[in-house]
Amino acid sequence: MSIFKDHIDAMSAYKPPLEGRDPVEYTLLDFNERTIEVVEPIREALHGLIDSGRLHMYPSYGDIAEQIADYAGVGADQVMITNGSDHGIDLIIRSACQVGDEIIIPGPSFAMYSQCAKFEGLHMVEPQYTREGGYPVDEVISSVTDKTRVVVVSNPNNPCGTIVSPDDIVRIAKAAPGAAILVDECYFEYSQVTVADRLHESPNILITRTFSKTWGLPSIRLGYVLSVADNINALLNVRGPYDINQFAVVAVSAGLKCRDLTLAYVKEVMEVSKPLLEAFLEQRGVEFWPSAANYLWVFPQNPEAIELALRDEKILVRPKANAEGQLGLRMTIGTEEQTRHLIDVLGRALP
Ligand SMILES: Cc1ncc(COP(=O)(O)O)c(C=O)c1O
């Protein structure tokens, strides 16, 4: 007999394929990360913390919430820092739901939402994205019941890159006033689409964001939640006082001070590399989903063979099946040089 709750025992762990990802050996296009090292001022700030004689102290967060608020264009009382955005997603779902409540998670989507829903014992409602129709807005609205406690809007969605307009998100928020509308803006810097300026209209919207994907800091974990101050205060009751480590705070503070360096990388990815890859795929007649993010979900005829061919040339991408079980390859877009190399290898591997 287990000491744990039955539904926890019945779950399986979320285990992304992280092992063996050597950044020297491989071009890592499999986790939607920044594909090059972090900018120098961040590295210097981290060395500074090691040498500061403060490692034996608990972390203190100073004015990091103010710095992030300034970057996000909201008040400091509208920000809560988290240990990566996974932590924010977990805290929101945990705080809003009880066993048996409903959560709407349009799929296919990022695994953490369903993982959190499972460990809270929630009933999942999963309308599907389509390549043509995008996020199923009307189906989501018609699925709302008096048991719905969370509606997920992954914006843009992983793996398909689909974006939902701020107007549609506000429409969903108004249709489900008793639910938390969890808007995951993990890839905000790439999409530039946000509802951060619409929080006053819909107090049930909670945005999660991260310094993992654009800023290159997934290893040290800093995310944040944006919402109206009352929601932030409630979530702060649940978050631990030391959940975020000092390295993350120091690195992000340094990164925000030289944000132009990071935003130059975003510009290269979105304005140079992505159009190159899209044009190549269109020219070769390979289907992919329209994406507002730094990745494309690509459906070649022979995905297994293409994945192996890329791996042989030291490029990693991520296989992801669609709702019909058809396998696609999610390809992270990096620098122009990396993208030209990817196109070169794909050009030889595609039939
Ligand atoms: C849509 C989405 N949300 C959240 C995350 C998690 O990011 P973090 O590193 O901030 O926990 C990911 C990571 O892949 C993601 O794709």
Side-chain angles (χ1 to χ4, degrees):
M1 202 186 76
S2 168
I3 53 171
F4 298 115
K5 295 172 198 161
D6 292 346
H7 71 274
I8 301 276
D9 271 333
M11 286 178 63
S12 41
Y14 172 39
K15 286 193 197 141
L18 286 162
E19 294 314 314
R21 303 177 68 239
D22 178 348
V24 177
E25 187 178 2
Y26 292 104
T27 303
L28 301 175
L29 308 184
D30 52 346
F31 271 75
N32 299 343
E33 295 156 321
R34 178 184 163 93
T35 58
I36 51 175
E37 256 278 32
V38 292
V39 298
E40 193 52 32
I42 293 181
R43 289 161 56 88
E44 281 167 15
L46 289 171
H47 283 298
L49 175 61
I50 290 173
D51 295 337
S52 67
R54 298 174 69 91
L55 292 184
H56 59 295
M57 296 167 63
Y58 279 99
S60 59
Y61 302 140
D63 68 349
I64 192 69
E66 281 81 359
Q67 292 183 49
I68 292 173
D70 178 53
Y71 169 68
V74 300
D77 57 355
Q78 294 184 277
V79 177
M80 178 181 81
I81 57 169
T82 55
N83 194 310
S85 54
D86 280 355
H87 185 210
I89 293 166
D90 176 31
L91 289 178
I92 292 167
I93 295 178
R94 219 161 8 117
S95 306
C97 301
Q98 299 185 32
V99 173
D101 283 343
E102 287 174 8
I103 180 168
I104 303 177
I105 309 176
S109 198
F110 176 53
M112 256 326 266
Y113 314 128
S114 54
Q115 191 73 4
C116 294
K118 281 180 201 152
F119 52 67
E120 292 310 312
L122 306 182
H123 173 61
M124 281 186 269
V125 180
E126 298 174 279
Q128 294 295 304
Y129 282 82
T130 57
R131 186 170 174 272
E132 292 68 34
Y135 183 95
V137 181
D138 294 331
E139 220 182 319
V140 164
I141 290 177
S142 61
S143 303
V144 172
T145 72
D146 57 3
K147 297 200 97 184
T148 307
R149 288 287 161 269
V150 176
V151 180
V152 175
V153 184
S154 186
N155 214 30
N157 185 36
N158 173 7
C160 52
T162 306
I163 199 84
V164 189
S165 74
D167 284 346
D168 277 338
I169 296 175
V170 171
R171 195 151 70 85
I172 294 167
K174 293 202 186 309
I181 312 303
L182 167 49
V183 183
D184 183 342
E185 295 185 359
C186 177
Y187 300 95
F188 160 70
E189 282 79 5
Y190 298 105
S191 74
Q192 288 300 315
V193 175
T194 183
V195 282
D197 56 347
R198 310 285 295 265
L199 295 173
H200 59 285
E201 276 175 71
S202 304
N204 54 335
I205 291 181
L206 297 112
I207 301 169
T208 53
R209 287 200 194 161
T210 186
F211 286 89
S212 291
K213 302 294 185 180
T214 316
W215 304 78
L217 299 169
S219 54
I220 54 176
R221 319 292 303 135
L222 199 131
Y224 53 102
V225 178
L226 304 176
S227 193
V228 293
D230 284 351
N231 294 342
I232 295 298
N233 286 333
L235 290 174
L236 282 168
N237 296 335
V238 188
R239 197 203 68 189
Y242 328 118
D243 281 356
I244 297 91
N245 73 74
Q246 195 75 55
F247 284 93
V249 173
V250 163
V252 164
S253 181
L256 285 172
K257 289 192 179 79
C258 60
R259 64 187 72 161
D260 287 354
L261 296 178
T262 295
L263 298 180
Y265 171 78
V266 172
K267 201 169 156 59
E268 179 174 352
V269 169
M270 297 305 277
E271 294 180 18
V272 182
S273 303
K274 193 162 171 238
L276 274 177
L277 183 58
E278 287 169 338
F280 164 78
L281 293 169
E282 272 159 16
Q283 186 223 333
R284 294 295 293 260
V286 180
E287 194 173 274
F288 61 93
W289 284 50
S291 166
N294 63 328
Y295 49 87
L296 289 181
W297 199 20
V298 181
F299 287 84
Q301 279 167 20
N302 49 347
E304 287 98 347
I306 299 289
E307 199 225 333
L308 281 179
L310 291 173
R311 190 179 284 271
D312 280 351
E313 298 281 345
K314 307 295 179 196
I315 298 174
L316 300 185
V317 296
R318 191 88 174 267
K320 291 267 173 189
N322 69 13
E324 289 77 44
Q326 185 190 356
L327 195 64
L329 300 173
R330 193 193 64 198
M331 300 181 183
T332 305
I333 302 166
T335 61
E336 177 178 357
E337 191 185 343
Q338 290 167 332
T339 307
R340 288 194 186 279
H341 179 47
L342 171 68
I343 289 172
D344 182 44
V345 178
L346 278 175
R348 283 180 271 125
L350 283 168

